[in-house]
Amino acid sequence: MPADVTDSQTEPRLTSLAHGGGCGCKLAPNVLADILSEMPLSLGHSDLIVDAGKSDDAAVYLINETTTLVATTDFFTPIVDDPHTFGRIAATNALSDIFAMGAKPIFCLAIVGMPIGKIANETIRAILAGGRSVAEAASAPIAGGHSIDSAEPIYGLVALGMGHPDHLLLNSKAEASDVLILGKPLGIGIYSAALKREILSPAEYDEMVASTTRLNTPGTELSELAGVHAATDVTGFGLLGHASEMARGAGVQIVIEKNEVPVFEGARRHAEAGVKTGASGRNWESVSHMVSGQMSEMETDILCDPQTSGGLLVSCAPYAARAVLDIFAQHGHDGATIVGRVEAGPAGVCVA
């Protein structure tokens, strides 16, 4: 074996090569807003019906009166050490934005940055194979991509989808009197922090992987259901961060019933022991000006916990809630739960 290629049996843990992991690597919302403050986010193109100025999950281009192209990208550093699992999680997360818009994924491009010489080619192949397996399961094959030699392992996808312009699940369409349904429990960031500290149990690890590799396929079907008005996926900014984007986009108040929010029991136990990510604090600093209500420090950490490949947050009319929960269950999302409601009022989030 050449001297500059590491043996996969002796190479360092993937997570040890990254300063963060999963969606916890995202720039804090206030930092990102400052960076982009002097850039035009809304491009003013008539056929580009959703762009960065909308703070939605993906860009949308109108092709004709019945067809839109939905485009997004997502990539990050390892959240787990197994390379195939890392690839699966990253691909599942990247495709989530397509489902959150109510679209159907069609194909993907791979984004690959790897520290050549620190990890073996065999490891890199396993990461790519994991991503490919998820993309093919979503009927969105990886058609190409781009790779670089980078200091940290980075993997993700550009994901493209198709949707109907009348059935897009924009986060700006939430309506007062809607109920809010969350598709997956919270706690992935806490689990990832526990994994880095090597205190995550095998059962908790399996729970984390099962959640982060479960595609948010309900989104496509929900877009066709009467009474479903809006959706977003809860990822790196945490539940409060993504709920605040929905509140701001729709000009409504989002009410989160904190005792109704599903949380992995293991993650709750770790949180009680003080385990959390650095990103949860950054998320709170970014969103606190929009949030009212009483929370303990632990509750704040959980509600701001960065979710890698988290669940959909769906805003729907009360009469549609049962059907929405049934669709989640049919797609294997048994933990979907009503977690709050939408009210008229100043844009913001109230934790009750």
Side-chain angles (χ1 to χ4, degrees):
M1 178 179 292
D4 61 343
V5 178
T6 302
D7 185 336
S8 62
Q9 299 299 314
T10 60
E11 67 187 20
R13 296 170 58 195
L14 282 179
T15 53
S16 74
L17 297 172
H19 72 286
C23 285
C25 293
K26 291 177 71 169
L27 295 179
N30 58 343
V31 174
L32 182 60
D34 182 63
I35 292 171
L36 300 177
S37 60
E38 297 182 10
M39 298 180 66
L41 299 181
S42 185
L43 302 179
H45 193 293
S46 60
D47 290 329
L48 192 58
I49 58 178
V50 179
D51 60 15
K54 303 290 187 182
S55 295
D56 217 316
D57 296 300
V60 181
Y61 188 87
L62 183 66
I63 295 176
N64 56 47
E65 62 183 13
T66 61
T67 308
T68 61
L69 176 66
V70 181
T72 184
T73 184
D74 213 313
F75 53 90
F76 47 60
T77 54
I79 187 174
V80 294
D81 293 311
D82 179 72
H84 192 271
T85 302
F86 169 42
R88 291 172 61 211
I89 293 171
T92 305
N93 180 75
L95 283 160
S96 183
D97 285 339
I98 299 295
F99 294 120
M101 299 297 289
K104 179 180 179 180
I106 53 173
F107 75 93
C108 303
L109 302 172
I111 298 170
V112 183
M114 294 292 155
I116 302 301
K118 292 184 179 179
I119 60 176
N121 289 350
E122 176 187 346
T123 298
I124 300 171
R125 281 194 296 269
I127 294 171
L128 301 185
R132 185 180 66 245
S133 69
V134 167
E136 291 178 351
S139 299
I142 296 175
H146 185 66
S147 59
I148 63 168
D149 186 353
S150 63
E152 297 179 302
I154 297 169
Y155 179 70
L157 301 176
V158 173
L160 301 173
M162 305 292 284
H164 193 290
D166 295 337
H167 296 154
L168 295 173
L169 297 178
L170 308 183
N171 64 13
S172 59
K173 297 297 185 180
E175 298 183 5
S177 79
D178 277 357
V179 297
L180 295 169
I181 295 174
L182 180 63
K184 295 181 182 180
L186 302 183
I188 294 300
I190 295 166
Y191 271 171
S192 68
L195 178 65
K196 274 210 158 188
R197 291 170 56 174
E198 299 185 357
I199 57 174
L200 193 70
S201 73
E204 291 165 347
Y205 177 82
D206 290 346
E207 195 170 47
M208 180 179 76
V209 171
S211 180
T212 54
T213 57
R214 184 174 298 116
L215 286 161
N216 278 322
T217 48
T220 305
E221 189 172 347
L222 290 173
S223 70
E224 304 284 342
L225 185 65
V228 176
H229 299 138
T232 190
D233 61 337
V234 178
T235 54
F237 298 155
L239 177 59
L240 293 185
H242 291 283
S244 70
E245 288 184 334
M246 182 179 283
R248 187 165 48 242
V252 295
Q253 182 167 88
I254 299 292
V255 178
I256 300 294
E257 299 282 353
K258 63 183 180 183
N259 292 333
E260 300 301 322
V261 175
V263 180
F264 291 115
E265 285 304 314
R268 193 183 298 278
R269 287 194 298 272
H270 285 299
E272 289 170 349
V275 177
K276 60 182 176 180
T277 71
S280 63
R282 296 193 297 271
N283 284 343
W284 174 244
E285 290 175 5
S286 299
V287 78
S288 59
H289 67 285
M290 290 190 66
V291 179
S292 61
Q294 297 296 315
M295 293 174 287
S296 67
E297 182 177 348
M298 188 189 80
E299 288 169 337
T300 303
D301 288 335
I302 289 173
L303 294 177
C304 291
D305 188 51
Q307 302 305 290
T308 298
S309 191
L312 297 180
L313 181 65
V314 177
S315 180
C316 67
Y319 74 81
R322 183 67 264 166
V324 170
L325 290 170
D326 287 344
I327 288 173
F328 270 114
Q330 290 163 15
H331 287 255
H333 293 248
D334 298 324
T337 306
I338 295 175
V339 297
R341 61 189 183 276
V342 182
E343 296 182 347
V349 179
C350 175
V351 179

